[in-house]
Amino acid sequence: MNANVALRKLKLVKGCAGGGPARRGAAAARGVEALSSSCLSTSLAGFKSAGSSGSSGRAGANKVLTQAAKGSGVFLFGFGGGAGKSNAAKMADWPPEGNTLPLATFAAGCFWGVELRFQRIPGVEKTAVGYIQGDMENPTYEMICTGMTNHTEAVQMTYDPTVVSFAELCDVFYGGHNPKQLNAQGNDVGTQYRSGIYYHDEEQKKVAEAKKAEVAGAVTEIEAAAKFWPAETYHQQYLEKGGRFGSGQSAAKGCTDKIRCYG
């Protein structure tokens, strides 16, 4: 099976993988079956245990996906800036040392553009892109791009509630993506691109649910925030630093320049 065929099969699996972690996990397991003996050049049987409780299943999944990411150079859905970068690239330090501000976490497709949108909001102090709501520890970008870890690309931020409320951040979130598109944003397809608000307390949960109710047809996932794994340093403030084409975009507060999603 060549890489293109494998890619199409995994897209089909992930395209119907909504409905919460259990359903996404089952879809991922079916995806592993479809991709066995494929371009990943490794046995993925151990991945089936990733959804089970206990450290042995998670360790097995970690090992399998690490081997796949280091394998033949094929990165399913890995068409972003991480391609060609070392898997061992240092993860960004997060949260900021000494932080006393509340956290907010949103997922709305490729995290590069989402981060820049929030960087521009007055009251948002610090941002980090990373991976959340998945089944594995210490995931890498290449692992996320397979769609098999159940993580989503997300932006976590600290914010000053005396300047910007969580409700206002939710408005920025809904205004910046299509919350009616299941497991995708634009041409980026996969559960790692799903729409999600991950709350850090009960008040955030209440606000998130109320804001979702205002958007007819929204498929936004609302869950308690799980462990957030900061992405590799390379991805942090990616568009501000220049993106793919070395042309940095303004992160100045209040900036309304159009965001070029990939730089």
Side-chain angles (χ1 to χ4, degrees), residues 1-4 6-7 35 38-41 65 67-79 83 142 145-146:
M1 182 186 295
N2 64 31
N4 288 331
L7 182 63
L35 288 170
S38 73
C39 61
L40 296 181
S41 302
L65 285 174
Q67 290 173 342
K70 292 180 178 179
S72 62
V74 175
F75 299 106
L76 299 182
F77 297 93
F79 304 124
E142 287 80 7
C145 286
T146 67

Side-chain angles (χ1 to χ4, degrees), residues 226-244:
K227 171 72 175 180
F228 177 80
W229 301 96
E232 295 78 358
T233 301
Y234 177 77
H235 292 289
Q236 306 300 331
Q237 296 81 51
Y238 180 76
L239 296 184
E240 181 187 10
K241 293 186 294 189
R244 287 180 175 175

Side-chain angles (χ1 to χ4, degrees), residues 147-244:
M148 297 177 186
T149 72
N150 284 340
H151 291 85
T152 185
E153 293 190 13
V155 179
Q156 192 167 94
M157 66 204 71
T158 63
Y159 68 99
D160 183 346
T162 68
V163 179
V164 62
S165 68
F166 183 72
E168 290 170 324
L169 293 177
C170 288
D171 290 338
V172 173
F173 164 76
Y174 278 114
H177 79 300
N178 179 5
K180 302 177 185 181
Q181 191 173 8
L182 179 64
N183 294 332
Q185 280 298 300
N187 292 327
D188 291 329
V189 178
T191 57
Q192 69 268 34
Y193 299 117
R194 64 190 182 269
S195 174
I197 302 176
Y198 305 107
Y199 56 86
H200 294 267
D201 56 39
E202 288 302 307
E203 181 60 26
Q204 284 191 355
K205 177 183 180 181
K206 180 179 177 181
V207 172
E209 291 175 341
K211 286 295 182 180
K212 179 180 178 180
E214 295 175 2
V215 182
V219 295
T220 301
E221 178 177 80
I222 298 177
E223 295 179 355
K227 171 72 175 180
F228 177 80
W229 301 96
E232 295 78 358
T233 301
Y234 177 77
H235 292 289
Q236 306 300 331
Q237 296 81 51
Y238 180 76
L239 296 184
E240 181 187 10
K241 293 186 294 189
R244 287 180 175 175

Side-chain angles (χ1 to χ4, degrees), residues 2-178:
N2 64 31
N4 288 331
V5 173
L7 182 63
R8 287 197 298 272
K9 283 180 176 281
L10 191 54
K11 277 186 177 180
L12 289 174
V13 169
K14 293 192 294 183
C16 61
R23 187 174 172 191
R24 290 195 303 270
R30 291 195 298 273
V32 171
E33 293 287 355
L35 288 170
S36 61
S37 302
S38 73
C39 61
L40 296 181
S41 302
T42 183
S43 171
L44 298 181
F47 185 79
K48 293 179 181 179
S49 61
S52 63
S53 60
S55 60
S56 60
R58 289 191 296 273
N62 256 312
K63 182 176 180 181
V64 167
L65 285 174
T66 298
Q67 290 173 342
K70 292 180 178 179
S72 62
V74 175
F75 299 106
L76 299 182
F77 297 93
F79 304 124
K85 295 292 179 179
S86 170
N87 288 352
K90 182 180 181 297
M91 302 293 277
D93 294 328
W94 186 263
E97 185 176 356
N99 174 62
T100 60
L101 294 173
L103 296 171
T105 308
F106 299 95
C110 176
F111 50 27
W112 296 335
V114 180
E115 180 180 37
L116 183 59
R117 188 176 302 279
F118 281 107
Q119 283 179 275
R120 293 174 171 181
I121 302 301
V124 172
E125 295 295 319
K126 300 289 185 180
T127 62
V129 298
Y131 319 117
I132 199 167
Q133 306 306 109
D135 299 329
M136 295 174 53
E137 296 184 353
N138 295 311
T140 66
Y141 180 73
E142 287 80 7
M143 290 177 182
I144 297 303
C145 286
T146 67
M148 297 177 186
T149 72
N150 284 340
H151 291 85
T152 185
E153 293 190 13
V155 179
Q156 192 167 94
M157 66 204 71
T158 63
Y159 68 99
D160 183 346
T162 68
V163 179
V164 62
S165 68
F166 183 72
E168 290 170 324
L169 293 177
C170 288
D171 290 338
V172 173
F173 164 76
Y174 278 114
H177 79 300
N178 179 5

